[in-house]
Each structure stands twice: as C-alpha cells, then as structure tokens.
Amino acid sequence: MCKKAADTQKYTWEEVKKHSTAEDAWVVYQNKVYDVSDWYEHPGGAVIFTHAGDDMTDIFAAFHAAGSHAALRRFYIGELIESSVTHKDERQRAFEGGYRVLRSKLIQMGMFKSSKLFYAYKCSFNMSMWAFACLAMYFSSSSLVHVISALTMGLFWQQCGWLAHDFLHHQVFKQRKYGDLGGIFWGNLMQGYSMQWWKNKHNGHHAVPNLHNTSVHTTDGDPDIDTMPLLAWSLKQARSFRELHADGKDGKLVKFFIKWQAFTYFPILLLARISWLNESAKTAFGIAGSSKNAQIELERKGIMYPKLERSGIILHHIWVLAYCSGFGRFGVAYTTGLFFLSTCSCGLFLALVFGLGHNGMAVYDAETRPDFWKLQVTTTRNIIGGHGFPQWFVDWLCGGLQYQVDHHLFPMMPRHNLAKCHKLVESFCKEWGVKYHEADLVDGTREVLQHLASVSDDFMAEFIEEFPAM
C-alpha cells in the first residue's frame, strides 16, 4: 500500500541509479520508485532487472496489459523528484509524451486485437506443411523427395517459431494461460524448444536490444548478442574476454573467431537450432539455466508447466526420430543426414530473419542507452522486398518480423496489424527526426557481413600496431 503524501519518501535520479543490480534493484514507473531487489518471482522473470536503476515506464507498458502495475504496489518506496532528472530537456519530455499518446491512439483504434480467423489460417497452413513433409517421407523412396521433405520440415520449424513467438507475446489471446499453451504446442511439441527458456531469453532481448553486458561476468545485456567468442558485434565486445585472462590479452580462440567472423557467420547459423535444442532441454528438465539470471530464476521459480514442457519436448524428439528414419525404413547414416539437413536448414531460415532484424545495427552500453523509442528504433532493421524477392514472399518468410521496428515498439500487437501501425510509426519518426532503417534480404545480409568484417578489421588492427613487422 502506498504511503500517505506527507510521509512519502522522495528520491533523486542519482540515488535511483545507484541501485542497478538484481540484488539491489530500484526501478521507476510513472515517476514512482519501487524496490524490486531479488524479485526473481516476478511473473516475467529476471527481465525486470534489465531496468534496475532506470525508468521502466515504457518497456513495462509494452509488455503488460492495463492494470498490471497493481502488482508493483507492495514494492513502492517513494516518489522520484522529477527536477532531478537533468538528462531530459523539454523536447525529450515532449517526445516521450508523444509516443505514449501514439500508443493510446493505437489501443483506441483496436490495433492490439487479434483476428482469430487469421491465426486459424496460419496454424492450418503450418500443419499442412508438416503433413506434406511427413507424407513425402513416408510414401516416397526417392532421395530427392526426401531432401525436399527435409527442407520443408526445416521451413516448417521456422514458421512454427513465428507462431510460438506470437502466442507467447500474447498477441493472439489476452489471457496469458492460453498464449502459454499455444506456445507449448508450437514451441515444445512441434519445435523442441522450451517455452520458459524462450521467454527468459526473448523478453530480455526486447527489454535491452543490442545492449552490451556490463562485463563478461554479468548478464544484464541483450542475450541475443551474447555470442562471444564466436561473434563480436562491436570492438568493445571483441575485447570483452580479456578480463578472463590474468595478462589481459586475448586467447588464440578469440583471435581466430573474431578475425574470420564474416566468413564463419553462416556456418554458425547452420548450428543454431542444435544449440537451442540443447538449451531448451536443460531448462525444461531443470538441469541448468542458459544464463546466470535464468539459472537463479529456475532455482527459485522452477518450471511454470513442468509436465507439459517436458512431455512436449520428449514427444517432439520421438516424432522427429520417426520422421527422419522414414518411419523405420532408413539406416542410421541416412537418418542422421536427414536430421542434420532439416535441423541446420531451420537454423539458417530462423537466424537469417532475426539476424537481419538487429545484427549490424547500433550497439550501446547500458549507461549510454537512449530512451525506449530510440533504443528500439536505432537497434532494429525492417525488411522489405527487393533483389527479386517480392514483398508478399518477405511477409510470409519473416512471419511479421519484417516489421521488426514496429514489433519492438509494440510487441503485443498482432502481426496482421503491423503494416497499418508502420505508417503511423513512420510518420511519428519523421515528425521527431528519428531515423529508422530498412533493407531487403540481400542488402540487409550484406550490411551484417560488412559490419562483422569492420569489427574484425578494427580488432586485428591492434595486433598489427603491436607487431608492425608481421
């Protein structure tokens, strides 16, 4: 219960900023200060700590239904002294007020209401892909048909990813239990991915896209760019493993991967699904969390739907084994080949889309990140048609994430409304002079590879300067 006005404690922005760890976490919501230290029981998990020592007003609104802030009342400790927030001038305050008005306008327009007919169509289409792949594998003895079937299965898993994404963002159903159950079907059963593993990872990504971890020992950055030592998205990240060594130098493995990362990028993407299957199984069966925060959350909260999650993953691997073995007809080598063809193609199909969404865009340190709107827009790339890929194909392949900028601003908005939303977002950005970026599949991929090469060049230049004769 909130304190009476006369007794209300008031805090400066500098005081709030001091409480920026999970163990000592203060957050600001609509100029009220809350002490959520050690609150791993938060329904959304450890994502709340990504804004420890910061203002979470807009990211909270993006992820929660109206009235959800009532759960914060027991953590209320006082009011923020608005005049102490000196890093915001009048224009910035007006800008923040403007995008909050836009959000209210979108709600009034019904843009957050889903079309159940649309999602019935998408679910049916996905299952038709699965049925085609299974029937082709069962009835045909042609290796070419088996290859086509395996690639179709990889594409099916990719499309399942977008459906699970929509359900778990609660775009389809506003009752979260129904969204979770949809996520378990399309995630655990059909893809082999743990719903809880995905939520922990993806919610953290949405809260702090393209933000560095404070150090190699922390997990307060974007988990989607926590890719060292395989890939570095900035020179600072490339250097981050030095603190693990007593001499403060890079290991041979780091030097090798960062030097060649523009060339190893696609081979790494091929193995992405295998990594995700492994992390999902460890989470679902309580073996280990995928990060420090995820591990603590797992120990404190456990799995929300343990029986459904575990049975879904077990059944997934059973039907995949049956499928890849030709329902018992193929030998071990042929079965293994089909498994890796379908699995690796899925990793490539998935990572191509979400990689284009953020990779090669702006990367920030936690202490220098901009406001919510600018953070989401400047770290994100929309995908358009071009280079022979028509817009309708891009729309289907990307499953709504072709409007990645708009999705990051309004993650609970159903994908079928994002095109309309984009026009308003584009207009708002132009009004306030905020640049957003878009590229087609070819140009976007080129930008990602050029960015990786640029980081490699800057990283290797240090060694050339140190050993100029080499």
Side-chain angles (χ1 to χ4, degrees):
M1 226 173 138
C2 293
K3 302 174 184 178
K4 293 180 181 179
D7 301 326
T8 300
Q9 182 71 41
K10 296 185 182 296
Y11 300 99
T12 65
W13 182 249
E14 286 303 313
E15 178 63 26
V16 171
K17 294 292 290 180
K18 295 176 183 177
H19 304 272
S20 58
T21 65
E23 296 75 22
D24 180 20
W26 288 13
V27 294
V28 175
Y29 175 73
Q30 294 185 345
N31 294 321
K32 296 183 184 298
V33 182
Y34 300 89
D35 182 352
V36 295
S37 302
D38 211 35
W39 190 30
Y40 284 95
E41 291 75 20
H42 167 240
V47 65
I48 195 167
F49 303 130
T50 61
H51 280 66
D54 209 341
D55 191 325
M56 69 168 190
T57 300
D58 296 298
I59 190 63
F60 188 91
F63 269 98
H64 297 83
S68 298
H69 65 277
L72 293 172
R73 287 175 183 165
R74 63 191 175 102
F75 301 104
Y76 174 81
I77 58 172
E79 299 287 322
L80 177 68
I81 301 173
E82 292 186 55
S83 61
S84 69
V85 185
T86 56
H87 63 283
K88 294 182 182 181
D89 57 21
E90 288 305 312
R91 178 174 172 78
Q92 178 62 29
R93 293 177 192 276
F95 174 67
E96 293 180 7
Y99 63 68
R100 291 166 189 170
V101 169
L102 175 58
R103 177 180 175 79
S104 298
K105 180 179 178 181
L106 291 169
I107 293 173
Q108 292 171 4
M109 292 170 63
M111 298 289 274
F112 290 86
K113 294 180 180 178
S114 67
S115 166
K116 302 303 185 290
L117 187 63
F118 171 83
Y119 280 106
Y121 155 70
K122 292 302 297 182
C123 291
S124 299
F125 188 91
N126 266 31
M127 290 310 298
S128 70
M129 292 176 65
W130 181 79
F132 168 80
C134 288
L135 290 172
M137 193 67 76
Y138 183 81
F139 286 107
S140 179
S141 57
S142 166
S143 294
L144 177 60
V145 172
H146 297 160
V147 168
I148 293 172
S149 172
L151 292 174
T152 301
M153 186 61 77
L155 200 53
F156 162 75
W157 283 329
Q158 186 240 32
Q159 291 292 306
C160 284
W162 310 149
L163 270 178
H165 172 269
D166 289 2
F167 276 96
L168 292 174
H169 267 302
H170 308 293
Q171 297 175 9
V172 186
F173 300 110
K174 296 313 171 191
Q175 286 187 279
R176 301 206 164 210
K177 182 177 181 179
Y178 296 152
D180 289 345
L181 293 176
I184 288 173
F185 178 82
W186 292 110
N188 295 63
L189 179 61
M190 304 314 293
Q191 283 190 100
Y193 298 161
S194 162
M195 178 203 75
Q196 189 151 319
W197 162 79
W198 184 90
K199 271 191 170 185
N200 180 283
K201 183 175 184 290
H202 193 69
N203 288 348
H205 159 68
H206 262 270
V208 286
N210 279 18
L211 251 67
H212 285 304
N213 284 327
T214 303
S215 77
V216 73
H217 300 292
T218 63
T219 55
D220 54 354
D222 180 358
D224 281 6
I225 65 165
D226 185 16
T227 51
M228 281 291 287
L230 302 180
L231 298 168
W233 299 104
S234 71
L235 183 58
K236 178 178 178 177
Q237 188 178 22
R239 296 167 172 166
S240 64
F241 268 37
R242 293 176 182 177
E243 62 184 280
L244 294 176
H245 301 277
D247 60 5
K249 295 183 178 180
D250 296 294
K252 292 181 179 179
L253 191 67
V254 170
K255 290 180 182 178
F256 173 81
F257 277 113
I258 303 308
K259 180 180 181 179
W260 299 107
Q261 63 179 4
F263 300 94
T264 60
Y265 178 65
F266 280 109
I268 288 171
L269 295 188
L270 290 173
L271 301 176
R273 175 170 157 79
I274 295 174
S275 173
W276 298 329
L277 288 172
N278 175 57
E279 293 298 330
S280 291
K282 289 195 298 185
T283 298
F285 289 91
I287 298 171
S290 56
S291 67
K292 178 184 175 182
N293 282 342
Q295 179 62 33
I296 296 174
E297 183 182 326
L298 194 63
E299 293 170 355
R300 298 270 288 271
K301 289 177 62 177
I303 302 293
M304 189 178 296
Y305 304 97
K307 292 181 180 179
L308 288 177
E309 283 235 42
R310 292 165 187 167
S311 59
I313 286 179
I314 290 171
L315 289 172
H316 169 80
H317 289 294
I318 289 173
W319 76 253
V320 169
L321 176 61
Y323 164 78
C324 290
S325 68
F327 299 92
R329 291 180 295 133
F330 306 148
V332 173
Y334 198 76
T335 297
T336 302
L338 289 172
F339 170 77
F340 278 103
L341 179 59
S342 57
T343 296
C344 292
S345 64
C346 170
L348 181 63
F349 295 148
L350 270 173
L352 263 178
V353 173
F354 68 67
L356 283 181
H358 299 282
N359 293 345
M361 297 299 290
V363 179
Y364 295 100
D365 295 328
E367 61 271 17
T368 60
R369 61 183 169 191
D371 63 79
F372 169 77
W373 183 283
K374 291 171 188 169
L375 175 65
Q376 304 298 335
V377 173
T378 59
T379 59
T380 309
R381 178 193 291 108
N382 275 3
I383 308 173
I384 58 176
H387 279 90
F389 294 102
Q391 189 63 49
W392 66 263
F393 173 77
V394 172
D395 291 345
W396 178 82
L397 180 73
C398 298
L401 298 186
Q402 70 275 18
Y403 294 109
Q404 186 77 275
V405 172
D406 314 270
H407 167 64
H408 261 255
L409 291 169
F410 308 105
M412 294 177 69
M413 182 178 291
R415 73 167 90 162
H416 53 77
N417 288 332
L418 288 174
K420 297 177 184 177
C421 172
H422 176 67
K423 295 178 181 178
L424 295 173
V425 169
E426 184 179 22
S427 176
F428 184 83
C429 285
K430 286 180 179 178
E431 177 186 351
W432 288 92
V434 178
K435 293 183 179 180
Y436 71 90
H437 184 54
E438 57 186 21
D440 63 37
L441 290 165
V442 175
D443 286 340
T445 300
R446 185 182 295 119
E447 289 173 6
V448 172
L449 295 177
Q450 287 173 344
H451 180 81
L452 288 170
S454 176
V455 173
S456 295
D457 291 344
D458 291 343
F459 180 71
M460 296 308 298
E462 295 182 348
F463 301 105
I464 295 174
E465 292 171 3
E466 185 177 353
F467 302 102
M470 290 182 68

